[in-house]
Amino acid sequence: MTVSDDEDGVILKRRKLYNVVKDESDDEENHITGLKSSIVKAEEGDEETKDAKLVNTDNDSPNSDDLEENVSDDLEEDYKWWEEQDKDDTIKWTTLEHNGVLFPPPYEALPSHVKLYYEGNPVDLPLEAEEVAGFFAHLLETPHAQNPVFQKNFFEDFKHVLNDTGGTQNGIEIESFDKMDFSAMHDYFVQLKEEKKSMTAMQKKEIRLEREKFEEKYKFCELDGRREQVGNFKVEPPDLFRGRGAHPKTGKLKRRIRPEDIVLNLGEGAPIPPPPSGHQWGEIRHDNTVQWLAMWRENIFGSFKYVRLAANSSLKGQSDFKKFEKARELKNHIDRIRKEYRNNFKSKLMVERQKAVAVYLIDVFALRAGGEKSEEEADTVGCCSLRYEHITLKPPNTVIFDFLGKDSIRFYQEVQVDPKVFKNLALFKKPPKQPGHQLFDRLDPSLLNKFLQNYMTGLTAKVFRTYNASKTMQEQLDLIPNEGSVAEKLLKYNAANRTVAILCNHQRTVTAGHAKSVAKSSDRIEEFKWQKERLKKGILQIEPDRIKDTPDYFEDINSIDKEIEAKIHERIVEREIQKYHNKFKRENDKRKFEGEEPLPEETLKEWLDNVKQLKQQYAEELATGIVQLKASMNSVEKLEKAIERLDQRISTSQVQLQDREANSEVSLGTSKINYIDPRLSVVFCKKYGVPIEKIFTKSLREKFKWAIESVDETWRF
DNA sequence: CACCTGACTTAGTAGGCGGGGG
DNA sequence: CCCCCGCCTACTAAGTCAGGTG
């Protein structure tokens, strides 16, 4: 291995550029930017200073003189890795210190009155089994609890745990899932949640600060002498595995991880964090060719889970940067690649044709590579694993894709394809192939990727997604005129973002409240229109002749039929009643809290009488067609003004509603975080005078610091 | 070279929280 | 001013892909 050579090289380079602290040194000076000092600071609860530091470091350049000063000023240096040239990335670090991982708290028994019931009888469960039953009880009101696979897997594992811990303690034999009643446990959890929710903001904050203080030491590590944030330092707590889609293993018990299961990865000389008392670490490793700080093997598939650095770390940033540079490099090859796969549609060799068509699908429809999956996983596919039944061919050249992709998200598209592609797909489906058979029977991702490497080193299937996403974003942003308000520009940016998200098929399930909230908005719009109509009638009641002068203006005065109007009245009255009830309750809660007498029921009655009057008034209006407006609405001018305001509100509400609808099933976040070169957004903001905060959240600004600080307006993807 | 393992990126969602509109 | 809804972050599942192995 050449590790030691490289290591020295990296150390020398870094020391020279950034005057990084010496590895072995215990000198206090040298740890100012490091782990130890950060812990001290954290214990002082010094949040202000940290924030100030971030601001202050914005403009400092990492030359050694400045650094000296900064160190003596106790300022954290910024490691601007993106200003460094061609780094060797097989070596990820030279020194690495961290404090290990944070384990979830041990399970605490439920109060003795909260129990699982079996055939109506309370069951005394051993602690471990109670915990597992609790996992299920938590999910009682979710679709998981209704899923037979979930139930079966849960029940199997639950029984195992129960047997291993000696069975129930009151002689009840649990034999059937259907006889188990989790509702008492569930109710208890709901109650706990409500208690937590009803705590005052103060109490919540106190608890949060306490927790943060406790977690502080795990939050940071020291990598090559720099303090960097750790991402997921918390060990995943035990739970029932919640696989997505039709997952054969969903509901299985994800077991508790012990220190003995954990492998820590640190620098050779780094102190080994003490394991929880009475325990030992599974293994200590010193592998500087990997990014992870700790790992363990989970029990569902036997795969690994890793503790790694946060998204804002230099290592992650460098990978990210490399990813986008690789995608940009594809610009120089894409024409040739496209030309060649078109040629190969006619190749005499089946493999070549399959490769050509696969690359076409990946390039044009942004499909994923599509690796083979086992029976133990959900049946989802990507390009190479597409089967006969996933595409339908409609001559002359229409293809309907319908399959479940990553996360069991449906990919459904009816598209026109190149006629030669159509012919080839027909060929790939030709008998003896039938449903269940692979379309690309000569391909797999590894073969395809090796083929792609011929065009460009490092070119793989996923690079096309990044390339096409960022390319599309660039094109969409180019179309936006530099005019209008920031809000308008943002709307257009989001529309561009949406185009990319749709290309990548990034979906989200409509939230539970979505239908309701849409209905509410539509109701509101309907009510605005009704109000408008009323006000116009009001104008005519003051000056009946107006209808002759401007008939168009009054065209809509009877556009709402009586039945709908009655419904609107009902809604408004109902809302008012609800409002007063809430107000009454709130007021009394307050009084109770302050030790005052509650309001008498009389007060509520008085309030509700007002509503009754309103109801009465609406009924009269409906019968007579004569509106009774507020006393202040006593002139045509005032009415016209009010109508204008209503028009404004109607149109903004409609735009908002449309935008919300367009976005309801599309997730913009995934493409923003993973596919759109952040430099595009930075340039957009600079050029269009949009504050970057409007587009990147705080954590995204940290993740994309390299982009924010490295481009000017002329940069293009 | 097929297969597996290990390490990394990409993905949607739950739930807390804060800001804008009634 | 209050409430609600939409945004944000934390979480962890589910992909991709390289490289080792027999």
Side-chain angles (χ1 to χ4, degrees), chain A residues 149-160:
Chain A
V149 180
F150 193 94
Q151 293 176 353
K152 177 183 149 285
N153 284 326
F154 155 74
F155 190 56
E156 271 175 28
D157 286 357
F158 171 72
K159 282 225 301 202
H160 269 130

Side-chain angles (χ1 to χ4, degrees), chain A residues 95-127:
Chain A
T95 67
L96 175 62
E97 288 183 25
H98 60 83
N99 288 315
V101 293
L102 182 60
F103 289 93
Y107 179 68
E108 278 177 43
L110 295 176
S112 57
H113 66 278
V114 181
K115 294 222 178 289
L116 171 74
Y117 287 80
Y118 191 75
E119 292 186 298
N121 302 312
V123 185
D124 288 340
L125 292 170
L127 202 62

Side-chain angles (χ1 to χ4, degrees), chain A residues 441-504:
Chain A
D441 49 282
R442 310 285 170 93
L443 294 187
D444 62 57
S446 132
L447 186 105
L448 198 64
N449 285 336
K450 271 176 202 140
F451 167 70
L452 290 172
Q453 309 274 333
N454 298 330
Y455 293 105
M456 182 187 123
T457 53
L459 183 60
T460 62
K462 78 194 269 282
V463 178
F464 282 88
R465 268 169 81 83
T466 315
Y467 165 78
N468 279 313
S470 287
K471 180 82 188 328
T472 302
M473 191 66 179
Q474 174 81 73
E475 287 164 2
Q476 292 292 311
L477 290 181
D478 284 346
L479 295 174
I480 300 176
N482 196 351
E483 62 190 32
S485 66
V486 167
E488 284 166 325
K489 289 172 183 172
L490 272 175
L491 219 60
K492 298 205 167 104
Y493 174 92
N494 282 337
N497 192 162
R498 186 153 61 230
T499 312
V500 177
I502 289 167
L503 172 73
C504 295

Side-chain angles (χ1 to χ4, degrees), chain A residues 18-204:
Chain A
Y18 304 113
N19 196 18
V20 164
V21 296
K22 277 174 278 171
D23 312 346
E24 317 289 328
S25 176
D26 260 332
D27 185 339
E28 271 222 35
E29 269 285 306
N30 283 337
H31 277 284
I32 280 171
T33 63
L35 192 61
K36 291 181 184 170
S37 60
S38 62
I39 293 168
V40 173
K41 273 177 218 148
E43 279 163 6
E44 289 164 4
D46 199 350
E47 272 193 294
E48 299 283 15
T49 324
K50 260 190 314 192
D51 284 345
K53 246 181 271 167
L54 282 176
V55 174
N56 279 332
T57 49
D58 275 347
N59 51 6
D60 65 26
S61 64
N63 78 51
S64 53
D65 286 348
D66 279 3
L67 189 63
E68 284 297 331
E69 273 192 40
N70 285 344
V71 167
S72 53
D73 283 341
D74 193 15
L75 287 173
E76 251 174 66
E77 107 208 51
D78 267 343
Y79 174 40
K80 302 198 175 185
W81 51 263
W82 56 94
E83 290 171 1
E84 199 176 324
Q85 307 288 311
D86 27 75
K87 290 178 42 85
D88 170 14
D89 66 354
T90 58
I91 303 300
K92 314 285 181 182
W93 45 266
T94 47
T95 67
L96 175 62
E97 288 183 25
H98 60 83
N99 288 315
V101 293
L102 182 60
F103 289 93
Y107 179 68
E108 278 177 43
L110 295 176
S112 57
H113 66 278
V114 181
K115 294 222 178 289
L116 171 74
Y117 287 80
Y118 191 75
E119 292 186 298
N121 302 312
V123 185
D124 288 340
L125 292 170
L127 202 62
E128 289 86 345
E130 182 188 87
E131 181 180 25
V132 180
F135 294 149
F136 193 89
H138 271 287
L139 301 174
L140 204 57
E141 296 298 315
T142 71
H144 294 295
Q146 306 303 319
N147 176 352
V149 180
F150 193 94
Q151 293 176 353
K152 177 183 149 285
N153 284 326
F154 155 74
F155 190 56
E156 271 175 28
D157 286 357
F158 171 72
K159 282 225 301 202
H160 269 130
V161 173
L162 188 57
N163 282 335
D164 291 351
T165 51
T168 65
Q169 291 159 353
N170 55 348
I172 291 179
E173 287 293 324
I174 294 187
E175 273 151 4
S176 155
F177 170 81
D178 296 323
K179 292 175 181 165
M180 294 167 82
D181 176 4
F182 298 90
S183 54
M185 294 174 93
H186 181 259
D187 292 347
Y188 174 70
F189 295 137
V190 169
Q191 187 198 325
L192 282 188
K193 207 165 136 189
E194 251 148 41
E195 277 168 21
K196 212 172 132 194
K197 213 169 112 188
S198 67
M199 285 188 305
T200 65
M202 227 16 208
Q203 288 171 308
K204 283 184 194 169

Side-chain angles (χ1 to χ4, degrees), chain A residues 370-413:
Chain A
E372 204 49 50
K373 297 187 73 185
S374 82
E375 293 281 297
E376 305 285 81
E377 299 167 276
D379 177 18
T380 62
V381 297
C383 183
C384 292
S385 49
L386 279 172
R387 297 194 303 265
Y388 184 98
E389 63 270 29
H390 295 137
I391 63 165
T392 307
L393 302 174
K394 272 208 298 197
N397 65 335
T398 300
V399 179
I400 302 168
F401 292 93
D402 192 356
F403 60 89
L404 298 182
K406 182 178 178 180
D407 293 301
S408 293
I409 296 295
R410 188 177 183 197
F411 186 101
Y412 181 89
Q413 271 184 44

Side-chain angles (χ1 to χ4, degrees), chain A residues 334-358:
Chain A
I334 192 73
D335 290 343
R336 185 164 53 96
I337 293 170
R338 285 176 176 161
K339 205 172 137 201
E340 237 172 274
Y341 67 59
R342 282 177 199 289
N343 274 331
N344 284 339
F345 291 158
K346 303 173 293 208
S347 171
K348 292 196 180 73
L349 290 169
M350 187 52 139
V351 202
E352 295 306 315
R353 285 205 192 193
Q354 293 200 353
K355 278 188 213 164
V357 174

